[in-house]
Amino acid sequence: MKTELRHHYTDVLEHLKTYFPSPISDPIMDGYFVHSISRFLDQVDSLKSAMPLLATDSNEQHYENSQQATFPEHTRSIEEITAMIASYCQGMTIWSHPNAQVNVIPPPTISSITAFIAGAMYNPNIITDDYSGRFAEAEIRAVAMLSDLVGYDSQQAGGLFTFGGTGTIMYGCKLGIEKALHGQGMQEGVREELKIFSSNVSHYSRLNVVSWLGVGTKNLIAIPSTINNEMSLSALENSLRATLNKGEKVAAIIATLGTTDAFGLDDLASIVHLRDQLVSEYQLDYSPHVHADAVIGWAWAVFRDYNYEDNPLGFHARTLRSLIDSLERIDSLQMADSIGIDFHKTGYAPYISSVFLLKNRNDLTLLSRVPEQMPYLYQVGHYHPGIYTLECSRAGTSALAALASMQLLGKQGYRVLIGHTIEMTEMLRERLERHDCIKVLNDYNYGPVTLFRIYPPNVNADAAFHRELNDPDYSKQLSAHNHYNRQLFDLIHARVMQGEGVLLSWTIGYRHANYENASTIAAIKSFIMSPWTNLDAVNLVVEQVMDARMQLNKQSQ
Ligand SMILES: *Cc1c(COP(=O)(O)O)cnc(C)c1O
């Protein structure tokens, strides 16, 4: 028989108590806690270099080993686990790095991180204020501040934090379903065909939402988008009319304000007018819900009261034009029935921090359960969002982080952060446009994202792109050019991994060509989010692209 060291459980328990922050004031234990975090910072710091990534001890992910993992028998020390946690940061992109231009992923501010630590330590659950104290108030305050920002009437508006932008779309569509079914859906289920409309470049999370809500993807109607990546209004109108003519119901229209790949902005005002007109023309006894998916674009609302004439922040003309153009669309957010907002995108807060904002908070009664169905909740306290939220447990962290970000930065801070990313993006476009072999795909607009394609020698970029979009006889070249760009992207990526250059990303489906059964047009993507991105980083993108092109052309000679 194996002899084991025996410990009475109470001895172990005494030791385990040192694994928790102390419940009563204990400066020595607090010191140990801070020390643990500080060791983590030191260990991660040693992974930093000139690269926009934390170093990793191998290029291979340890997935194989990870799949063999078994549940450990013994306790380990906080120090060992701190080292382990630091090691799991290996290979992470440093989103704040000037040479990270990957996607709409922000570096979080210190205050939003502190809010996450506060939430992690005190573990608020905003199912009810009974379990979340003033974190519940943070939710109410954040929602009021956002209503003010977009121009909702805060006497009527409401909202809640939820599980990501996908969650915000889900809430919007669910309200649309309940409106179309006169509130019967919660009990009876969805027993008739309900249609939901959005543009064909809207976020794919719409597919999840309609499947999970029982509407079915076959009832999701993708409206073609224009070359500006906004929903075609005439196509939307035709499609809505066709649905209504058949006697089918329209549960919701999702307008996207800031598409993920190209920052396309749907014409929300016209969509709402069209909805209103159809409601009266067809004498509908419900109003199709218009949800604005503004998880990226919401932050542009800070420019609603910017003085463009005086331009006190001194943005360049090209930047100003871009901001004014974007704002023209963003300004109409107040017309939407509900709005999705992600702080973990353009709000500079950690994942997850998403707000579902509602013009008329009374709509939430459509989602309410009666308290008798939740016997152990709501015995005390004043704020019981768990009565209508999809979630039971809901972390208070996200609300406090959003509040902290808004208070810390204010409109002015967001104007500077967003304005800077646009300024850098415009500089990048200007530099890319100087080359005949490069086509900037979303050159008309606005956001911090630039999509571009590079063409081989003796191909004129503008002409080639035009044919790719429109000419079925050019589809072979379209595929070849997709491949060519992918090779360039891989070359660039490999160099970044060697420690030089700017980390970019790749999208296989910037958009479809304009004819039937067309393949998608791929693109290299730069998404600027970091306040540290400067002209050097912008110039480096163009240099590395041209270098890689030269290398590839040599190889294929
Ligand atoms: C990212 C994104 C979503 C999904 O949001 P998550 O927070 O990732 O769930 C929805 N719509 C748009 C336009 C997005 O960019």
Side-chain angles (χ1 to χ4, degrees), residues 240 292 359 460 462 531:
L240 286 169
K359 181 182 215 155
N460 176 283
D462 278 328

Side-chain angles (χ1 to χ4, degrees), residues 259-329:
T259 60
T260 321
D261 260 353
F263 203 70
L265 297 160
D266 285 345
D267 185 351
L268 178 61
S270 300
I271 292 171
V272 171
H273 286 139
L274 175 62
R275 187 269 315 263
D276 292 345
Q277 191 197 326
L278 294 176
V279 167
S280 86
E281 203 180 310
Y282 285 81
Q283 305 204 330
L284 301 179
D285 59 1
Y286 68 98
S287 176
H289 187 91
V290 176
H291 176 76
D293 179 5
V295 297
I296 295 182
W298 69 273
W300 272 249
V302 298
F303 289 102
R304 286 181 69 213
D305 40 18
Y306 183 63
N307 185 337
Y308 291 99
E309 305 261 294
D310 289 354
N311 187 24
L313 291 173
F315 295 122
H316 281 102
R318 203 173 151 151
T319 305
L320 269 187
R321 238 224 36 228
S322 158
L323 292 172
I324 292 170
D325 283 352
S326 306
L327 192 69
E328 217 179 280
R329 290 284 162 84

